[in-house]
Amino acid sequence: MYPSFSLVGDRAIRMTFAREMSEQINADIRRTFHELKNKEQYPYIEEMIPGYTTLTVFYDPLIVQGINQMKTELMKAQKTHKEEFLTYRKITLPVLYGGDKGPDLSSVADYHNLNEEEVIHRHTSREYLVYMMGFAPGFPYLGGMDEGIATPRLKNPRRKVEQGSVGIAGKQTGVYSLTSPGGWQIIGRTPVSLFNKDEEVPSLLRSGDRLTFQSISQAEFDKIIHQDKKGIFEPRIEWKNDEGRKDDQDGEKKN
Amino acid sequence: MTALMKVIDPGLHTTIQDLGRHGYQEFGIGPSGPMDPWAFKLANLLAGNNQKEAVLEITMVGPTVLFMENTVISLAGANLSPTIDGKKVMMWQSIYVKKGQELRFGKPKHGARSYLAIAGGIQTDKILGSRATNVRAVLGGVDGEALNSRDEVPGIVLKDSILKKRGGKHLSHSLRAYYRPHQIVRVIPDEQAAFFTQDSQEDFYNETFKITAQSDRMGYRLEGKGLERKKDGEILSDAVAFGSIQVPRGGAPIILMADRQTTGGYPKIGTIISHDLWRVAQLLPGQTITFEKTTLEEAHRCLEAEANVCKVLEMAIKQR
């Protein structure tokens, strides 16, 4: 029976929505997440972390009125608004592919017998869903990559991968939000910061966003990185709702 | 803001910590905060502060600091042989110190982490609502780093009449923590324990594990009987908590500590109850730990008792 509850220690409870990840489950988790953000109604909730198939709710044990009462309320929250369409953000992230910013683009191309332009084309023609955030500040776990460019991780991870690097690891693609060691195949770099500690909302992305990558030139890269440092670059963000998306899915089912 | 302390020598790893940067885990930003929340709170209460003020967390080899104003400090947690101007000072008490005096630490005697609070609390800039240092994300503290030589630690200058009242408070012996080289900690099992064989699930609670040298504010790597998986495949990444015990494929458990990532992809066999985290935080590499199964009800009873002790203590310290 979903969602099911399980304990993560004495200050967090995990709601599991399904066994497998899917866009539908992600939307269910997101609806519940937004409902539970209502501080007045759920004063005991400190924060929440959405996962692929889970929503983990961190609570204050000194405020909560019994664990069973909490489960009942969480269950109810999960049922609310179930039929409503969700709004989501579509964000376009500029990327300079190849060259010194994407040192593994050629090996990814070779791996699939493609040329570099074809890899870039495949990487920029998909819309990716931010399933969850984690691993590092501002780091998105993305789903939806073209499996035709799926490439194993590097045999020898790099000691230092620059912030903004766009990589491929197996069937996943992602963006390094901070400079860190890493073993992903780096195919490009975005000049846009995904994490900014001085912003009220310090992360550009959040769970449920849709992301597309747009190929840019070196000149555009230089211009944007300059604007981003000054805090005046605004990536393209469109608000949408999933009404159209739902029709698409129904269509898929019929086929 | 006035500089209250100047760092002459930073020691091994001295960081500014408050209760943590909460509310940003949905963006992958971990809370950080004190490794030993109990000693952290007691240090603050002894200095006459509320429980949440920013303090110094000192790891094994302590710093040398010069006081630039008269103030009151308190020391709680590990005994790292503190001295002021060469004279030994006791742990678990508040001390009136004068401008120009120097605090040093010596040989670590018991425990791993000591907390130094100053009256009024450390007043560095808040980043995302907190002063807690997160070295990996370069947040909080002084420039997002552990303390360096010549750093100045800002605070509030209080009147000498107030300071003199705040000094000389001792914590009753019954409330002090004792740091033994072996600790038993209580764990709430995770449903992901089902990833491990029945034998390994039992081994986890019967065997003794050793703290390895690969242990820091992010996590403690343990050495001991390896835990075997029953089934293949990984969990889908999900949230972890302070004290969660995750087990990578190699079978050696990792206890996730204050600077943990927000999510993890390894199955968790359980999570240590909040009340027992101080026991882990004070263990040194080479020392040992065993795990005991417990219930949520017991964990919450411990937290309530802890909160009551703090309340009583806060009143007692303020009244005297």
Side-chain angles (χ1 to χ4, degrees), chain B residues 3-307:
Chain B
L4 285 195
M5 295 187 275
K6 185 169 179 171
V7 180
I8 307 298
D9 180 312
L12 179 65
H13 189 73
T14 305
T15 59
I16 294 170
Q17 297 295 341
D18 63 11
L19 219 40
R21 189 168 286 106
H22 294 279
Y24 296 95
Q25 291 202 79
E26 63 181 272
F27 301 121
I29 303 159
S32 299
M35 291 281 276
D36 177 344
W38 181 236
F40 164 87
K41 282 180 195 166
L42 291 178
N44 265 324
L45 291 177
L46 280 167
N49 297 342
N50 75 52
Q51 298 171 28
K52 300 174 179 174
E53 295 296 339
V55 309
L56 291 188
E57 180 180 281
I58 297 165
T59 315
M60 292 192 294
V61 181
T64 300
V65 298
L66 177 71
F67 292 99
M68 301 173 81
E69 298 291 340
N70 295 353
T71 186
V72 162
I73 63 162
S74 66
L75 288 161
N79 186 343
L80 307 177
S81 309
T83 57
I84 292 179
D85 287 346
K87 266 173 75 182
K88 184 176 160 187
V89 291
M90 305 299 273
M91 296 298 300
W92 309 103
Q93 63 165 346
S94 64
I95 308 155
Y96 172 75
V97 292
K98 281 189 111 63
K99 180 176 177 172
Q101 287 195 305
E102 197 175 75
L103 171 71
R104 280 174 183 270
F105 293 84
K107 206 170 139 245
K109 282 189 179 154
H110 308 285
R113 288 178 173 85
S114 203
Y115 293 84
L116 165 66
I118 54 172
I122 292 172
Q123 302 290 322
T124 40
D125 292 339
K126 286 187 181 180
I127 303 290
L128 299 171
S130 163
R131 300 186 168 94
T133 314
N134 180 338
V135 172
R136 214 169 59 99
V138 203
L139 297 176
V142 178
D143 300 330
E145 294 177 13
L147 288 188
N148 291 299
S149 293
R150 291 190 292 276
D151 278 351
E152 291 185 347
V153 180
I156 298 167
V157 180
L158 296 170
K159 280 192 201 136
D160 247 28
S161 55
I162 297 174
L163 290 174
K164 284 190 171 144
K165 268 187 229 154
R166 286 209 193 180
K169 306 275 158 80
H170 301 257
L171 187 69
S172 108
H173 280 268
S174 63
L175 288 173
R176 299 183 188 188
Y178 293 90
Y179 306 126
R180 299 190 170 84
H182 175 78
Q183 292 288 355
I184 302 166
V185 301
R186 287 164 288 181
V187 169
I188 296 176
D190 196 295
E191 67 171 6
Q192 292 167 3
F195 271 80
F196 304 95
T197 63
Q198 200 56 45
D199 282 352
S200 281
Q201 288 184 47
E202 282 166 24
D203 287 346
F204 177 72
Y205 293 102
N206 294 328
E207 297 286 325
T208 296
F209 294 88
K210 198 161 97 180
I211 312 296
T212 68
Q214 284 93 51
S215 298
D216 57 19
R217 280 185 48 88
M218 271 187 86
Y220 278 35
R221 281 174 190 271
L222 306 182
E223 188 183 285
K225 199 166 177 192
L227 304 179
E228 282 172 29
R229 302 267 177 98
K230 185 158 56 188
K231 46 187 177 188
D232 261 356
E234 297 288 343
I235 61 158
L236 287 166
S237 288
D238 72 352
V240 300
F242 194 177
S244 286
I245 303 156
Q246 64 173 22
V247 187
R249 200 147 278 282
I254 301 172
I255 306 174
L256 301 175
M257 300 297 286
D259 279 350
R260 66 196 174 278
Q261 297 175 357
T262 53
T263 59
Y266 300 121
K268 295 170 273 297
I269 196 160
T271 296
I272 296 167
I273 68 171
S274 304
H275 183 73
D276 285 354
L277 288 170
W278 66 269
R279 296 178 187 275
V280 186
Q282 296 293 355
L283 282 172
L284 292 161
Q287 298 185 333
T288 52
I289 191 167
T290 50
F291 300 102
E292 200 178 88
K293 223 180 256 192
T294 191
T295 61
L296 184 66
E297 290 69 27
E298 182 171 322
H300 284 179
R301 270 200 299 277
C302 291
L303 283 178
E304 271 162 40
E306 202 181 295

Side-chain angles (χ1 to χ4, degrees), chain A residues 27-123:
Chain A
D28 285 351
I29 292 170
R30 209 142 33 95
R31 277 192 191 88
T32 310
F33 176 75
H34 287 302
E35 168 64 23
L36 291 172
K37 277 239 156 171
N38 182 344
K39 267 260 161 245
E40 272 164 36
Q41 211 172 338
Y42 310 98
Y44 48 83
I45 295 182
E46 291 182 331
E47 56 185 318
M48 293 173 278
I49 306 181
Y52 281 114
T53 56
T54 58
L55 180 65
T56 303
V57 177
F58 291 78
Y59 61 89
D60 184 343
L62 298 176
I63 297 180
V64 82
Q65 304 281 330
I67 200 79
N68 288 327
Q69 168 75 16
M70 177 169 68
K71 281 186 191 170
T72 309
E73 289 181 23
L74 295 179
M75 202 65 171
K76 217 169 119 194
Q78 175 269 330
K79 287 192 184 120
T80 329
H81 310 307
K82 204 142 192 199
E83 297 312 313
E84 276 176 34
F85 296 119
L86 268 176
T87 56
Y88 66 91
R89 305 187 308 167
K90 191 184 157 189
I91 297 174
T92 306
L93 211 54
V95 175
L96 174 57
Y97 286 93
D100 64 338
K101 303 288 187 290
D104 303 320
L105 178 63
S106 59
S107 49
V108 169
D110 290 348
Y111 188 85
H112 297 286
N113 281 321
L114 296 169
N115 62 39
E116 293 187 6
E117 285 66 39
E118 285 168 319
V119 174
I120 296 171
H121 177 73
R122 287 183 182 223
H123 197 255

Side-chain angles (χ1 to χ4, degrees), chain A residues 39 41 44 47 60 80 88 103 109 131 136 161 167 173 200-201 204 210 218 241 250:
Chain A
K39 267 260 161 245
Q41 211 172 338
Y44 48 83
E47 56 185 318
D60 184 343
T80 329
Y88 66 91
Y131 273 96
V161 177
T173 183
E200 198 177 333
V201 179
L204 173 65
R210 304 250 164 198
Q218 180 76 51
N241 77 41
D250 289 347

